[in-house]
């Protein structure tokens, strides 16, 4: 007698398929973004000759913004790749790797947020130290220079606590031994822009710190970037909080999808 063996039907197969491709789509975007960040970082390093002379990494006195692109891009690329392959091949090891490390990143972000709230004064001191340290290295790296210029223009500020912080830079300090033409000046990003000017006057900050305080206010921003950043955070607290909550929800969503697929795989293949 001919017997027809029935193919076992696993409950939740349709759900697993849906979860599988949603997780794959989620990670393909994550992976491509990571690849883009990593490519930008490596391209910037190549332009500065760092890739041909790796010892030059230690020569930079201040923070190199390229590091941010490389580290963030590298982490996103690895996690996105693990999530993509894990979802597509239903590989429980890669899915667990993805969910565990995404959970670890979420935990670190949560811890950093709590510590930042508890130790606000310490964070403020560290921000002040960070800005002053990078003021010293302003001319050492073009990416760092562009970052500082952007921050000073965006927040309408100059230095960490004021224009006098530029005394820390060898080109802008006011000592008599300084032969630089920029002596007692500030970078052009500290200058109050004239709306009628089409071309940026890069020499607008020359000798400006030789002027009296009231006269300086006509030409440059006199508030420090630490205070202006705090004010910006207070004014945009809802938007900033919304962005962080959105990122956190995306991470939780990714972890839940991965764990859902792992548990479903465990039910269908108990021996794995």
């Amino acid at each position: 007698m001919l017997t027809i063996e029935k193919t076992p039907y696993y409950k939740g197969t349709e759900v697993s398929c849906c979860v599988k491709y949603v997780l794959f789509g989620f990670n393909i975007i994550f992976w491509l973004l990571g690849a883009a960040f990593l490519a930008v970082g490596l391209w910037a390093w190549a332009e500065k000759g760092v890739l041909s002379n790796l010892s030059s990494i230690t020569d930079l006195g201040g923070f190199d913004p390229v590091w941010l692109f490389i580290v963030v891009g590298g982490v996103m690329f690895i996690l996105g790749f693990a999530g993509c392959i894990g979802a597509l091949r239903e590989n429980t090891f890669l899915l667990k790797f993805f969910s565990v490390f995404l959970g670890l990143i979420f935990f670190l972000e949560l811890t950093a947020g709590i510590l930042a709230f508890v130790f606000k004064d310490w964070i403020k001191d560290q921000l002040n130290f960070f800005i002053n340290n990078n003021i010293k290295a302003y001319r050492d790296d073009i990416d760092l220079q562009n970052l500082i210029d952007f921050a000073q223009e965006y927040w309408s500020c100059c230095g960490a606590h004021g224009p006098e912080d530029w005394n820390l830079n060898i080109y802008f300090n006011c000592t008599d031994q300084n032969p630089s033409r920029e002596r007692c000046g500030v970078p052009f990003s500290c200058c109050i822009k004239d709306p009628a000017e089409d071309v940026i006057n890069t020499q607008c900050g020359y000798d400006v710190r030789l002027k009296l305080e009231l006269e300086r206010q006509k030409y440059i921003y006199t508030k420090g970037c630490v205070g202006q950043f705090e004010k910006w955070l207070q004014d945009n607290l809802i938007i900033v909080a919304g962005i962080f909550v959105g990122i956190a929800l995306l991470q939780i969503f990714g972890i839940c999808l991965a764990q859902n697929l792992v548990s479903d795989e465990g039910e269908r293949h108990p021996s794995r």
Side-chain angles (χ1 to χ4, degrees):
M1 182 178 179
L2 182 63
T3 57
I4 300 174
E5 185 179 348
K6 292 184 178 181
T7 304
Y9 177 76
Y10 298 105
K11 186 180 179 181
T13 302
E14 293 84 358
V15 176
S16 174
C17 186
C18 179
V19 170
K20 172 180 175 178
Y21 288 107
V22 169
L23 183 61
F24 176 76
F26 175 83
N27 278 286
I28 198 71
I29 296 171
F30 201 64
W31 180 55
L32 290 173
L33 283 173
F37 271 85
L38 194 58
V40 168
L42 293 174
W43 172 79
W45 260 17
E47 287 292 303
K48 291 190 287 189
V50 174
L51 294 178
S52 58
N53 180 20
L54 293 178
S55 63
S56 60
I57 296 174
T58 59
D59 295 338
L60 301 176
F63 169 73
D64 189 349
V66 175
W67 272 108
L68 189 62
F69 283 90
I70 291 175
V71 172
V72 172
V75 171
M76 289 178 67
F77 182 86
I78 293 170
L79 283 180
F81 181 79
C84 282
I85 302 301
L88 196 62
R89 304 294 299 172
E90 298 182 5
N91 186 305
T92 54
F93 173 77
L94 288 177
L95 288 171
K96 287 177 181 178
F97 172 84
F98 169 78
S99 59
V100 167
F101 274 85
L102 197 59
L104 180 62
I105 291 171
F106 174 76
F107 175 75
L108 290 174
E109 290 171 347
L110 185 64
T111 304
I114 294 171
L115 291 176
F117 179 77
V118 174
F119 300 102
K120 289 183 287 187
D121 293 336
W122 182 84
I123 295 292
K124 185 176 179 180
D125 291 339
Q126 291 303 307
L127 180 62
N128 177 47
F129 174 78
F130 175 79
I131 294 174
N132 283 335
N133 194 44
N134 286 298
I135 283 174
K136 296 177 185 177
Y138 177 74
R139 294 293 191 201
D140 297 343
D141 183 82
I142 188 63
D143 294 318
L144 174 63
Q145 184 175 318
N146 289 335
L147 179 65
I148 292 174
D149 286 335
F150 169 78
Q152 292 190 145
E153 288 178 340
Y154 185 80
W155 284 303
S156 301
C157 59
C158 190
H161 290 289
E164 291 303 324
D165 289 333
W166 283 98
N167 268 331
L168 296 169
N169 187 277
I170 59 173
Y171 298 99
F172 295 99
N173 71 61
C174 269
T175 57
D176 294 332
Q177 294 78 22
N178 184 9
S180 172
R181 178 61 189 87
E182 295 176 308
R183 176 181 174 273
C184 289
V186 292
F188 71 92
S189 54
C190 284
C191 297
I192 298 173
K193 302 296 181 293
D194 184 352
E197 287 184 352
D198 295 328
V199 180
I200 296 175
N201 178 12
T202 57
Q203 300 180 0
C204 60
Y206 284 13
D207 304 320
V208 73
R209 286 191 292 121
L210 294 174
K211 303 179 186 295
L212 297 175
E213 181 68 27
L214 289 175
E215 194 176 356
R216 284 185 198 176
Q217 296 177 6
K218 300 177 184 177
Y219 302 100
I220 63 170
Y221 305 119
T222 55
K223 293 181 179 178
C225 290
V226 174
Q228 288 296 88
F229 178 68
E230 286 181 326
K231 182 178 180 297
W232 178 85
L233 274 182
Q234 291 173 358
D235 294 342
N236 298 275
L237 188 60
I238 295 175
I239 296 173
V240 173
I243 291 172
F244 278 102
V245 169
I247 293 172
L249 289 176
L250 281 175
Q251 290 173 325
I252 294 171
F253 178 66
I255 293 168
C256 290
L257 286 177
Q259 287 301 315
N260 191 312
L261 200 55
V262 168
S263 62
D264 192 68
E265 278 297 296
E267 290 176 5
R268 289 192 293 169
H269 304 282
S271 60
R272 284 192 179 183

